[in-house]
Amino acid sequence: PTATRRPPERYGLHNSRHILCSLLLHHRPKTIIAIMSTTSKLINPALRAAANLRSSTMPEKVTKTAAVYLSAAPSGGAHTLPDLPYDYNALEPVISAETMTLHHTKHHNTYVTNLNAALEKLDAAVSAGDVSGVIGLEGALKFNGGGHLNHTLFWENLAAKGTSSIKAGGALEGLITESFGGVEEMKKEMSATTIAVQGSGWGWLGLNPKTGRLEIATRANQDPLQATTGLVPLLGIDVWEHAYYVDYRNVRPDYVNAVWDVVNWDVVEQRLAAAK
């Protein structure tokens, strides 16, 4: 669900976290120590460990990667499973309450749990100056971080059948028409592309910030769209079997064609506006 965001306080945790990340990437360890000493009650343990990234044993690429992961941690220090903005049975008959319950409380929750575990290990590896340990965690961080991000976007992409539609004459409809020739043409192309994903993955409608046009792309496993393609995600369809097997068995086309009935077009429109 969309949460009300507080503006970062000038000397609060949110602001300090991003200042620290910037300093880590620009080689200013003395300034980092000064900030940490004056905001000791605000910076969580993972960010404290990040100060050790400036060790001479850490290659610059490893330093930057670890700093980004640590600085992206929530203010409480751990990622949490987001609440759904609707009941588990709200998407029936397209997606059953059983599927939604399992998908949200089991599968998504596992990504969150494993992401937090990987971040704790990263914290320890950074503190110890263990370059090999930091590098070895990249796969787990990408997979579980991507799983958490992708599913959070996915839940927001859905709404009860008949409660959301593309605004006639709106910016989204206009850009879809410009990019694909029309809404139905976009749906057909995205459905075919998504159904054709080999194994597990996602189908996405994204904005190309360089061209200003919409594009369709697929990602394997839990690879996040923007981090791997540069496209800003507007609409995603999860085609891991756990997203549809209870309701559609292994008939992926039936699921993909049906999911259009529960798309939250208001959220897609909002994401487009934010991306521009």
Side-chain angles (χ1 to χ4, degrees):
T2 303
T4 301
R5 298 192 176 190
R6 289 181 56 194
E9 296 173 359
R10 188 174 180 184
Y11 298 108
L13 173 60
H14 182 277
N15 200 36
S16 297
R17 185 165 67 243
H18 288 280
I19 291 172
L20 179 57
C21 181
S22 175
L23 293 169
L24 285 167
L25 300 183
H26 290 88
H27 307 270
R28 296 182 183 175
K30 291 183 179 179
T31 309
I32 292 170
I33 293 170
I35 286 181
M36 290 178 63
S37 65
T38 58
T39 60
S40 58
K41 294 182 180 180
L42 297 177
I43 299 178
N44 62 43
L47 294 176
R48 291 181 181 284
N52 295 315
L53 285 170
R54 293 272 44 99
S55 167
S56 60
T57 63
M58 286 280 183
E60 184 177 358
K61 183 178 180 180
V62 175
T63 294
K64 289 185 176 181
T65 300
V68 169
Y69 276 119
L70 291 172
S71 67
S75 58
H79 294 274
T80 58
L81 182 70
D83 293 331
L84 296 182
Y86 38 74
D87 294 331
Y88 286 120
N89 64 357
L91 307 180
E92 292 183 334
V94 176
I95 305 176
S96 68
E98 181 181 3
T99 291
M100 289 299 298
T101 302
L102 290 171
H103 199 172
H104 181 245
T105 65
K106 301 298 184 182
H107 293 282
H108 187 177
N109 195 47
T110 297
Y111 293 120
V112 174
T113 300
N114 291 340
L115 173 60
N116 287 328
L119 286 171
E120 288 183 8
K121 292 178 181 177
L122 179 64
D123 183 359
V126 166
S127 296
D130 181 2
V131 178
S132 179
V134 172
I135 294 173
L137 287 165
E138 288 183 358
L141 290 165
K142 179 182 178 182
F143 180 74
N144 292 293
H148 179 33
L149 173 63
N150 291 340
H151 282 87
T152 300
L153 294 172
F154 183 57
W155 306 136
E156 296 171 352
N157 265 156
L158 304 175
K161 186 175 181 178
T163 62
S164 182
S165 59
I166 296 180
K167 185 187 301 182
L172 177 62
E173 183 186 55
L175 193 54
I176 288 176
T177 300
E178 178 185 333
S179 302
F180 302 100
V183 174
E184 291 306 312
E185 287 77 6
M186 180 275 292
K187 288 182 180 180
K188 289 178 183 178
E189 182 177 339
M190 186 168 172
S191 293
T193 303
T194 303
I195 290 167
V197 169
Q198 294 185 338
S200 301
W202 293 74
W204 291 98
L205 176 67
L207 174 69
N208 186 325
K210 294 181 179 179
T211 65
R213 294 174 67 88
L214 300 179
E215 296 181 15
I216 291 167
T218 60
R219 297 286 84 197
N221 299 315
Q222 294 296 351
D223 288 2
L225 182 69
Q226 190 165 5
T228 56
T229 67
L231 298 177
V232 180
L234 303 182
L235 170 64
I237 300 177
D238 185 353
V239 286
W240 280 65
E241 278 201 343
H242 64 238
Y244 60 87
Y245 191 83
V246 169
D247 303 320
Y248 299 91
R249 294 300 185 259
N250 64 340
V251 189
R252 181 185 286 177
D254 287 356
Y255 158 71
V256 172
N257 289 325
V259 83
W260 292 109
D261 288 339
V262 290
V263 168
N264 189 331
W265 292 108
D266 296 325
V267 167
V268 180
E269 187 103 38
Q270 290 166 13
R271 287 181 183 163
L272 174 62
K276 285 188 168 185

